[in-house]
Amino acid sequence: MHQDILRLIPSVNELLESPEVSKLTGIYPRTLVVEAIRTVLEDIRQSLTDKKEFAEAQTIDLSPQKLYHLIQQSLRQKFCGIGHAINATGIILHTGLGRAPLADEAAQQIQGALKGFCTLEIERQSGRRGIRYHHVEQLICMITGAEAALVVNNNAAAVLLALDTLARGKEVIISRSQLVEIGGSFRMPDVMAKSGAILVEVGTTNKTYLTDYSNAITEHTGLILKVHQSNFKIMGFTETVDLKDLVSLGQTRNIPVMYDLGSGALVDLQPFGLPHEPTVQESIRAGVDIITFSTDKLLGGPQGGIIAGKKKWVDLLKRNPLTRAFRVGKLTIAALEATLKLYLEENLAVQKIPVLHMMLTPLEVIEERCKRFINGLTSKTKAFMSISMVDGISEMGGGSLPGEGIPTKLISLRSEKMNAGEIAAQLRGNTPPIFARIEQDHVLLDMRTVYDDEVDTIAVALENICGF
Ligand SMILES: *Cc1c(COP(=O)(O)O)cnc(C)c1O
């Protein structure tokens, strides 16, 4: 009896020629559409065979509309790849959504300067081969006060390169409270093992004193390492050693001091009413030998890692063959240069770099966005779900300012007809996909991370969802 039902399944060719599916071959390459059809038909065949009863098998919808919908879904899931997304999670540095969104200036630099050939590694005056990092190094030194700098693929690579160069086969002294895991499998003890450095832990989880470091120094010590506790906070009875004191200890005992800062803030956030996050400049002023940080966290640029500090050490790093393996491409250099140029004037940086701008967006502006969103919805949608503006907290994310949320305004959605998981899934199915938070069966849209021109897009998506 199943044979009869199986015969009702259309063939690949029938589907390809149907008016519905032939629309898809205009959008996606034909081979991909054929593959999606095969996948969908195979799934249907499987679920028909699984049904024991004829009547049960008959309940499976084989209409062209249904099949078209499944094929389209399969194509979208498999082949959409990287593309624009709307971040309504309120997490500013969201690793899943690409961490720092780029400034217009950086995006234009990629689009404009790199379409054809570019001056990546050439000296214009002599026409000879130049140095890829020349301009970006100058910018980093100008902004941070460092003597020299180098750019690699990310901060993980920066740390590995620095440890490999300065401490292979030597002891590295680090406080127990700083043996951190950053996520995405970056764990300080593992990175150290990989670099061939020997870990020497000092102090306790909550307290480490300068004498803990000085007592641990031996003839085998190669480096004193401080790691910023980027993504957690130890509260209460605590003691850490200031970078300045570590630097003087290093200088007296002739041992370089390295600081893995992680977040890479180039602007002091405290005057703007945000919690203090150590800046690169203050660490350089404290006399650190080497500092490493990400370029796509608080700095707000493309993915990358910067190593800056004393020329003597940076030059050593530049000669390590790993530097070639960690080399960044022209897309990174272009976007990073454009982002760094904005930091030459702090006002510009704060206005134009989305990460900083989003952190500092006043509550009134976010409130206005929420109101505009609600006013733009039809009464039909408002009847389908209850929609309101509520207070909430945005998060920095990306291992910056842990535990220090920023007050925000959220749109809260709740429907009797559709649960929060379904609403969120439908929003993610939109083009462009919209990512939201779910809390206690409410869908929450944080307007802090939503661009002004995306507000209407979310409203239209919601109208469509409620129109089903
Ligand atoms: C984020 C972070 C890293 C890793 O940086 P990536 O750029 O993600 O590779 C390393 N160390 C610290 C302290 C960090 O905060």
Side-chain angles (χ1 to χ4, degrees), residues 99 154-156 182 186 227-228 230 260 262 294 297:
R99 266 207 205 157
N154 49 35
N155 188 35
I182 301 300
F186 183 92
V227 179
H228 183 44
S230 312
D260 175 17
S294 294
K297 288 186 181 171

Side-chain angles (χ1 to χ4, degrees), residues 448-468:
R448 180 179 293 281
T449 45
V450 172
Y451 286 72
D452 268 325
D453 59 1
E454 292 172 341
V455 173
D456 291 344
T457 313
I458 305 179
V460 171
L462 200 61
E463 293 282 309
N464 288 337
I465 292 170
C466 297
F468 268 123

